[in-house]
């Protein structure tokens, strides 16, 4: 699904066949989740393939590494260049790109002995599908921001996301919605939450969530569309009285939510602000302007 005999990936300064690349069973990342990653999308546009918000994603990767003290030997510009070469070598136009910074052999809980950088890419459809989602409020809360750096995209944090997703699916739902450790609405296992009430958009404030790059894009688009947006702390009771809601993330893009637990949002998706923003997002990612592009 992710690679075939021809696929090439970037690994520590070289392009290597995916079938020839391997990793160490004594890696600190494998045992302790001590690594950082990104999820980026490239889109085919009229003037070539555009890696959407490449700079923002690689800045976040460097920030994640800095927060968890994993030294990374490349700059944002170098990582962007490797990514373009990777897409070109694999002849990919619409693609999902997965950079991973991982640590070498070290079975102790100390500084990494060595650090590797891998970038892979593959074709990937909408991560949460195209249908409206039925969500379950998770019994797991997002990790406490004083236990780890919640704003960093760190491998180990995703056990929380996997547990929440599995719980939702095992109970017949499409996806989970997690509260923060204070009981306020937080985010999905891999996406940020927005909702609409009386024509105003709301989204949980930063502090207990991953600062999504799609979330930031949606906020920009909402401003362009002159929509009123409020960021704050909201409760589940608030959500159970709103008109409509959606998730957004690089992999999921903008996807409507049908219901939370047993509550079905009354406004039809077609008439929602979410739908407007979904269309605006779909247009924005296919625009070659203001982003570094790779022309094939
Ligand atoms: N929250 C979590 C927990 C995520 O894993 C993601 C996906 N990276 C997001 C939100 C959305 O972030 P982005 O829009 O930057 O992909």
């Amino acid at each position: 699904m992710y690679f075939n005999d021809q696929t090439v990936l970037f690994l520590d300064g070289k392009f290597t066949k995916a079938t020839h690349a391997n990793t160490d069973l004594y890696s600190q990342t494998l045992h302790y989740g001590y690594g950082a990653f990104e999820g980026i999308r490239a889109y085919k546009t009229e003037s070539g393939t555009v890696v959407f918000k490449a700079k923002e994603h690689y800045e976040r990767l460097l920030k994640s590494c800095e927060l968890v003290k994993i030294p990374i030997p490349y700059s944002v510009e170098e990582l962007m260049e490797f990514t373009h070469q990777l897409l070109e070598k694999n002849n990919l136009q619409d693609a999902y790109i997965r950079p991973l910074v991982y640590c070498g052999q070290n079975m102790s809980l100390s500084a990494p002995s060595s650090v590797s950088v891998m970038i892979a890419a593959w074709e990937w459809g909408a991560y949460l599908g195209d249908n409206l989602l039925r969500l379950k409020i998770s019994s797991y809360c997002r990790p406490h921001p004083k236990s780890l750096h919640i704003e960093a995209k760190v491998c180990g944090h995703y056990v929380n996301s996997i547990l929440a997703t599995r719980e939702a699916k095992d109970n017949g739902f499409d996806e989970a919605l997690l509260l923060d450790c204070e009981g306020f609405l937080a985010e999905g296992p891999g996406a940020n939450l927005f909702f609409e009430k009386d024509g105003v958009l709301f989204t949980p404030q930063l502090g207990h969530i991953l600062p999504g790059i799609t979330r930031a894009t949606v906020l920009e688009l909402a401003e362009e569309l002159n929509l009123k947006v409020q960021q704050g702390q909201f409760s589940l009771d608030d959500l159970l009285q709103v008109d409509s809601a959606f998730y957004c993330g690089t992999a999921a893009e903008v996807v409507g939510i049908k219901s939370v637990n047993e509550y079905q949002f009354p406004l039809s998706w077609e008439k929602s602000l979410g739908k407007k923003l979904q269309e605006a997002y779909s247009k924005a990612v296919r625009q070659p302007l203001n982003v570094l592009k790779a022309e094939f």
Side-chain angles (χ1 to χ4, degrees), residues 37-39 57 60 142 153 158 161 187-192 209-215 248-251:
F37 69 103
E38 266 306 316
H57 280 281
R60 187 171 66 186
R142 289 297 283 157
K153 204 165 161 62
Y158 281 80
S161 294
E187 61 187 328
N192 290 115
I209 59 172
L210 187 81
I213 288 161
T214 318
R215 176 185 181 276
C248 68
T250 301

Side-chain angles (χ1 to χ4, degrees), residues 104-116:
Q105 256 186 43
N106 184 0
M107 291 295 92
S108 70
L109 304 176
S110 55
S113 56
S114 64
V115 176
S116 287

Side-chain angles (χ1 to χ4, degrees), residues 141-163:
C141 68
R142 289 297 283 157
H144 194 293
K146 286 195 170 168
S147 298
L148 39 77
H149 296 283
I150 195 73
E151 70 273 40
K153 204 165 161 62
V154 169
C155 301
H157 298 184
Y158 281 80
V159 176
N160 173 255
S161 294
I162 291 173
L163 288 173

Side-chain angles (χ1 to χ4, degrees), residues 17-256:
K17 275 210 166 173
T19 47
H20 295 168
N22 53 33
T23 187
D24 195 317
L25 287 175
Y26 297 85
S27 154
Q28 231 179 352
T29 309
L30 191 59
H31 289 252
Y32 309 127
Y34 190 41
F37 69 103
E38 266 306 316
I40 313 175
R41 272 191 191 274
Y43 292 89
K44 188 176 169 192
T45 77
E46 275 176 10
S47 56
T49 287
V50 170
V51 181
F52 188 64
K53 304 251 169 169
K55 187 164 174 280
E56 286 82 349
H57 280 281
Y58 281 121
E59 281 172 355
R60 187 171 66 186
L61 182 66
L62 265 49
K63 185 78 201 163
S64 298
C65 289
E66 184 191 321
L67 285 169
V68 297
K69 301 184 191 302
I70 298 177
I72 170 167
Y74 303 115
S75 66
V76 166
E77 290 69 30
E78 284 170 321
L79 292 163
M80 283 163 69
E81 180 51 34
F82 299 146
T83 304
H84 288 123
Q85 289 177 22
L86 180 77
L87 294 177
E88 202 166 19
K89 285 182 194 300
N90 287 291
N91 205 14
L92 284 165
Q93 295 184 315
D94 280 302
Y96 182 79
I97 300 151
R98 168 54 55 83
L100 171 69
V101 182
Y102 65 97
C103 304
Q105 256 186 43
N106 184 0
M107 291 295 92
S108 70
L109 304 176
S110 55
S113 56
S114 64
V115 176
S116 287
V117 178
M118 185 284 285
I119 313 175
W122 61 88
E123 280 178 17
W124 221 22
Y127 174 66
L128 294 172
D130 297 318
N131 296 328
L132 299 184
L133 302 171
R134 293 167 50 253
L135 302 188
K136 175 179 166 46
I137 296 296
S138 184
S139 68
Y140 300 97
C141 68
R142 289 297 283 157
H144 194 293
K146 286 195 170 168
S147 298
L148 39 77
H149 296 283
I150 195 73
E151 70 273 40
K153 204 165 161 62
V154 169
C155 301
H157 298 184
Y158 281 80
V159 176
N160 173 255
S161 294
I162 291 173
L163 288 173
T165 305
R166 290 206 53 183
E167 180 188 57
K169 287 189 194 276
D170 288 349
N171 283 284
F173 291 82
D174 300 314
E175 182 59 299
L177 169 58
L178 293 104
L179 307 181
D180 67 25
C181 49
E182 292 171 12
F184 294 105
L185 299 172
E187 61 187 328
N192 290 115
L193 174 72
F194 278 81
F195 51 92
E196 168 185 354
K197 172 84 177 163
D198 298 331
V200 179
L201 270 182
F202 298 86
T203 192
Q205 67 192 29
L206 300 183
H208 290 257
I209 59 172
L210 187 81
I213 288 161
T214 318
R215 176 185 181 276
T217 307
V218 166
L219 290 172
E220 281 165 27
L221 294 171
E223 198 176 333
E224 277 171 31
L225 293 169
N226 285 321
L227 303 178
K228 237 175 120 181
V229 188
Q230 280 181 29
Q231 301 185 44
Q233 286 180 307
F234 307 105
S235 68
L236 176 58
D237 282 348
D238 293 332
L239 185 66
L240 299 183
Q241 296 176 37
V242 308
D243 303 326
S244 177
F246 63 90
Y247 267 164
C248 68
T250 301
E253 302 179 312
V254 175
V255 55

